[in-house]
Amino acid sequence: MHFIWWVYLSHLVSYWSAAAAAALFIDSSQWDWSCAKQVWSNHTVYTAPFVLLASLYWRHSYLGIGHGWWQLPACVLLTDILFYYPHRAMHSRWLYHLHKQHHVWKKPMGVAALYAHPFEHVVVNVAPPFFAAVLLKCHPTVFVAWVAIASANTVLAHAQEGQHTGHHRHWNKNFGVGLMLCDRLHGTLITSTSSSPYVPLRQASLRGGEAE
C-alpha cells in the first residue's frame, strides 16, 4: 500500500481527535453537527481523490528518517509561505465569494478549521502542508508525523485564542501559520486581538478588511 494512505489516515485521526478534545475539554460549543458533516464531506469527497491520484501516479523521493529533526521545523516555515499567499488571495474581491464559507461562523471553533468551499479546501488547506513535505523530501514516517501535527494544530488554532482567531476578528490580518513570517514581512501581523469582537459575516468587506 502506498504510504500516502497512512498520511491520509493520520490526518483523519489527528483532526477528529483534536476536534473532539476541543469540544470535550475546552468548550462544548466547539462542536456543531452541520459543520462536522461538511468537513467530513471535504475529507471524503475531495481529499480522498487527491490521495488516490497521488497513490497511483506519484513516486516520492525522500531523504533518510534521520533528517526529520530539521524537516519538521522546515515544514512549518515552508507551509507558512505556501499557505499565506493563496489564503490572502481568497480575501480578494474575486475569490472571497468562495472563502466566505469559512468565515460563516461568527466565532471560530475547532471542528470548523476545515469548513471551507471545496476549491479552497484543496488549494489552501490540503496542498500547502502536503507540498511542503514533498519539496523537503520528507521520509514517509516524518511525512505522517508532520501531517498529524499540522492537522491537530489547525483545529487548536480555531479552538482557542491565538494568532488565527485574530484573523477571524480582523480579516485583513494574520493570514499565515506558525511563526507568521509572511505576515511579519508584509505588515499584516496583529498580536493582541482578544479584546476585539469577532466580525459577523454580514459585515465583512469583500476585500477582507474590517467590518464595514
Side-chain angles (χ1 to χ4, degrees), residues 17-30 156 159-160:
S17 296
L24 289 171
F25 302 114
I26 297 178
D27 184 354
S28 60
S29 68
Q30 291 286 328
L156 295 177
Q160 55 192 355

Side-chain angles (χ1 to χ4, degrees), residues 40-133:
W40 181 249
S41 176
N42 283 344
H43 279 151
T44 54
V45 178
Y46 302 105
T47 307
F50 182 91
V51 173
L52 177 61
L53 288 173
S55 70
L56 293 174
Y57 301 108
W58 173 54
R59 294 297 174 263
H60 183 42
S61 174
Y62 54 86
L63 301 176
I65 194 171
H67 290 270
W69 69 270
W70 66 264
Q71 287 175 327
L72 286 175
C75 278
V76 175
L77 298 177
L78 185 54
T79 297
D80 181 41
I81 297 171
L82 298 177
F83 180 83
Y84 178 92
Y85 296 101
H87 182 201
R88 187 167 182 177
M90 294 300 293
H91 277 262
S92 70
R93 63 170 67 248
W94 299 282
L95 294 175
Y96 188 75
H97 66 285
L98 302 177
H99 184 57
K100 68 180 181 180
Q101 181 174 337
H102 180 66
H103 284 278
V104 71
W105 306 102
K106 181 178 178 181
K107 179 180 179 181
M109 55 184 174
V111 72
L114 296 183
Y115 184 86
H117 185 278
F119 173 83
E120 176 181 3
H121 177 68
V122 173
V123 174
V124 182
N125 296 333
V126 175
F130 175 82
F131 284 110

